[in-house]
Amino acid sequence: IHSLTMDLWIPPNGQEGVMSLLRPLLLDVVPTIQQTAALALGRLANYNDDLAEAVVKGDILPQLVYSLAEQNRFYKKAAAFVLRAVGKHSPQLAQAIVDCGALDTLVICLEDFDPGVKEAAVWALGYIARHNAELSQAVVDAGAVPLLVLCIQEPEIALKRIAASVLSDISKHSPELAQTVVDAGAIAYLAQMILNPDSKLKRQVLSALSQVAKHSVDLAEMVVEAEIFPVVLTCLKDKDEYMKKNASTLIREIAKHTPELSQLIVNAGGVAAVIDCIGSCKGNIRLPGIMMLGYVAAHSENLAMAVIISKGVPQLSVCLSEEPEDHIKAAAAWALGQIGRHTPEHARAVAVTNTLPVLLSLYMSAESSEDLQIKSKKAIKNILQKCTYLPALEPFLYDAPPNILKHVVGQFSKVLPHDSKARRLFVTSGGLKKVQEIKAEPGSVLQEYINSINNCYPEEIVRYYSPGYSDTLLQRVDSYQPLIN
């Protein structure tokens, strides 16, 4: 039997032969042969979906399920391993396990005296539940959730980890499934385990709480009411990168729902902690934190200002410039747009970090993904429509495409009539000259903006900076007849 699993290359036409050899061994009178046969099947099924399918077609599952209820703990672990190995590959193979009645037997194993049997059964249930809502519902309907909640209270750390992981997989599919986990009392126990010293367990706990909180305001509030703040913020400082990511994800899933939940996070010091976390890591670990800042800022002027005060804008600008992946740049662009869209003060806080030219170059670059281009354009528009900080706007007169230029000229047309110092600077810097060179359709919004700017200056100044004026002057020189005494 061991030789069957040592070399896992089995020709397609040999699969049925192997299964027909192993199947009788599951019924052998010697228990160790039964267990070894089951282990061999598990290793084969684990290898690829073709071999897993051969286990299903070989009519082996009913025998495993029957023996799972009857045999000793060693066989139970081996049989549960086969079910896990088959179920992991696809929803179809997981459904085959459900169809042969395995769930009820696996749930019975969750009450077994032996922690190893419980752990093996939890693994199998997890691989079934993770595929989709229907399979998850089947696991729930079999009565697994209350027993999984008991499993996370067991002393064995490996059992705690996998049970928390399965609760996460069940919760992720729908609000109804997440509610089932909440109703079984899981939240309080999961929240307590944020303090557990085991990093792998904490990762799973944070993931499970995230999957519950993401669905609705009510579910997010239930997670918050379990007093996860401020203790969850300590996870953002952990050296384990994935713990940082999962903690940021949990905070993001809470923050996105309402201004009140975001304010609670701000009050707990969560915004500053997430900004520090973003600064201490790279790549995809940063992503949930970046998105969390965007969600907080989107809710209100005050919350966006809280992000600004905590120095979130420079950190997001760094992500925008230095991250190589387009999807992370796109998230940073979106977050900056959410911060800058509220008032001139907010827009200025973004503009002074020299972020606008970076956004423009990302929008204009042919190498940028479509999503990055769309989010950069939207962020530029959001910020420009509120920005009255003219030094940041002026470079756009020279570089921006027409669809962006319109918003830039629009901002100048709003500010210049009320600021004499800015009007003078606009002339000496070459801005007025540049505006005269813009070709706008008569009667267009852009032309109206240009007219508003021109109305801020004496007519001869506008004429002086208009294209062709120097030629007109030269013509006057040519035609001028001096008076000769």
Side-chain angles (χ1 to χ4, degrees):
I1 293 169
H2 282 298
S3 66
L4 287 170
T5 57
M6 293 299 285
D7 181 4
L8 283 171
W9 186 83
I10 298 171
N13 60 351
Q15 289 171 7
E16 288 177 21
V18 170
M19 299 308 162
S20 64
L21 284 171
L22 285 171
R23 189 168 182 272
L25 297 177
L26 293 172
L27 304 169
D28 199 277
V29 291
V30 181
T32 52
I33 290 179
Q34 292 178 2
Q35 292 152 28
T36 314
L39 199 59
L41 282 167
R43 287 177 180 166
L44 290 167
N46 197 46
Y47 185 63
N48 65 30
D49 51 359
D50 286 340
L51 287 163
E53 200 147 329
V55 171
V56 174
K57 287 178 179 171
D59 207 26
I60 289 165
L61 293 180
Q63 178 58 46
L64 284 168
V65 173
Y66 173 76
S67 302
L68 192 61
E70 302 292 325
Q71 295 285 357
N72 64 36
R73 61 196 173 102
F74 301 107
Y75 185 89
K76 285 179 179 178
K77 282 190 264 189
F81 172 58
V82 181
L83 296 174
R84 159 190 168 185
V86 172
K88 80 171 192 178
H89 293 290
S90 70
Q92 292 75 23
L93 286 166
Q95 188 63 53
I97 294 171
V98 174
D99 293 342
C100 73
L103 291 183
D104 290 337
T105 314
L106 286 168
V107 168
I108 290 167
C109 289
L110 295 183
E111 298 184 88
D112 198 276
F113 181 73
D114 184 85
V117 173
K118 285 182 184 175
E119 189 187 335
V122 174
W123 272 103
L125 290 166
Y127 273 115
I128 294 165
R130 69 176 50 179
H131 290 295
N132 58 43
E134 290 73 28
L135 287 163
S136 239
Q137 189 64 55
V139 171
V140 169
D141 292 342
V145 173
L147 295 169
L148 289 168
V149 174
L150 289 174
C151 287
I152 61 173
Q153 299 169 62
E154 292 282 352
E156 290 78 19
I157 204 77
L159 181 55
K160 283 178 182 284
R161 285 177 192 160
I162 187 57
S165 174
V166 179
L167 290 170
S168 177
D169 281 331
I170 290 170
S171 301
K172 72 183 179 184
H173 298 293
S174 72
E176 293 75 23
L177 285 163
Q179 189 66 53
T180 307
V181 171
V182 171
D183 292 343
I187 301 298
Y189 296 109
L190 290 167
Q192 287 165 15
M193 285 191 283
I194 295 172
L195 291 164
N196 194 290
D198 185 78
S199 292
K200 289 179 182 175
L201 174 59
K202 283 203 277 193
R203 280 190 212 164
Q204 301 298 350
V205 165
L206 293 166
S207 172
L209 291 170
S210 301
Q211 299 294 4
V212 171
K214 75 179 184 182
H215 292 292
S216 70
V217 177
D218 289 344
L219 288 166
E221 285 176 348
M222 285 177 185
V223 172
V224 170
E225 284 162 12
E227 298 182 357
I228 62 165
F229 290 104
V231 67
V232 73
L233 303 181
T234 60
C235 300
L236 295 170
K237 296 176 181 166
D238 200 275
K239 62 180 184 292
D240 185 315
E241 297 278 83
Y242 288 99
M243 194 180 322
K244 286 181 181 180
K245 185 178 182 183
N246 287 7
S248 299
T249 303
L250 171 56
I251 299 166
R252 177 192 74 191
E253 298 298 5
I254 293 167
K256 74 181 183 183
H257 290 293
T258 65
E260 291 75 20
L261 284 168
S262 279
Q263 188 64 57
L264 186 147
I265 291 165
V266 171
N267 295 346
V271 166
V274 167
I275 292 165
D276 288 345
C277 177
I278 293 169
S280 72
C281 55
K282 294 277 187 288
N284 276 318
I285 308 297
R286 280 175 158 172
L287 187 58
I290 292 169
M291 292 177 70
M292 176 267 182
L293 295 178
Y295 281 129
V296 170
H299 285 304
S300 72
E301 289 179 20
N302 290 342
L303 286 165
M305 190 53 70
V307 176
I308 292 168
I309 290 165
S310 298
K311 300 189 168 50
V313 173
Q315 193 59 69
L316 288 168
S317 298
V318 167
C319 296
L320 189 70
S321 300
E322 74 174 27
E323 280 295 335
E325 297 283 341
D326 277 9
H327 69 283
I328 301 173
K329 287 181 184 285
W334 170 77
L336 287 162
Q338 296 306 314
I339 294 166
R341 72 181 177 84
H342 293 286
T343 70
E345 194 180 355
H346 291 79
R348 180 175 179 140
V350 177
V352 295
T353 59
N354 206 34
T355 295
L356 285 166
V358 179
L359 286 168
L360 183 64
S361 67
L362 291 170
Y363 168 57
M364 301 281 283
S365 172
E367 293 177 11
S368 295
S369 67
E370 186 183 356
D371 183 53
L372 177 55
Q373 289 177 331
I374 290 167
K375 287 196 168 61
S376 297
K377 178 188 174 185
K378 181 74 173 165
I380 292 166
K381 190 176 171 184
N382 282 344
I383 297 161
L384 287 180
Q385 286 177 335
K386 294 293 179 181
C387 188
T388 56
Y389 180 59
L390 300 187
L393 295 178
E394 205 153 305
F396 277 70
L397 289 172
Y398 302 90
D399 302 328
N403 59 337
I404 301 288
L405 186 62
K406 176 176 71 176
H407 300 294
V408 178
V409 177
Q411 289 308 104
F412 278 108
S413 74
K414 290 176 193 172
V415 177
L416 293 174
H418 311 290
D419 190 335
S420 58
K421 190 177 175 186
R423 287 198 294 273
R424 181 181 177 83
L425 196 62
F426 194 58
V427 173
T428 56
S429 68
L432 184 63
K433 180 174 185 293
K434 181 62 189 171
V435 166
Q436 305 315 310
E437 293 167 4
I438 295 170
K439 292 178 172 59
E441 292 287 324
S444 65
V445 174
L446 179 56
Q447 186 61 60
E448 285 179 25
Y449 291 152
I450 293 169
N451 293 343
S452 297
I453 292 170
N454 290 345
N455 289 338
C456 296
Y457 297 95
E459 192 180 333
E460 61 270 25
I461 294 290
V462 175
R463 208 164 43 236
Y464 178 79
Y465 286 108
S466 296
Y469 183 68
S470 57
D471 294 338
T472 306
L473 286 178
L474 285 172
Q475 286 171 9
R476 287 178 63 185
V477 169
D478 291 342
S479 61
Y480 182 72
Q481 295 297 324
L483 294 171
I484 299 171
N485 290 328

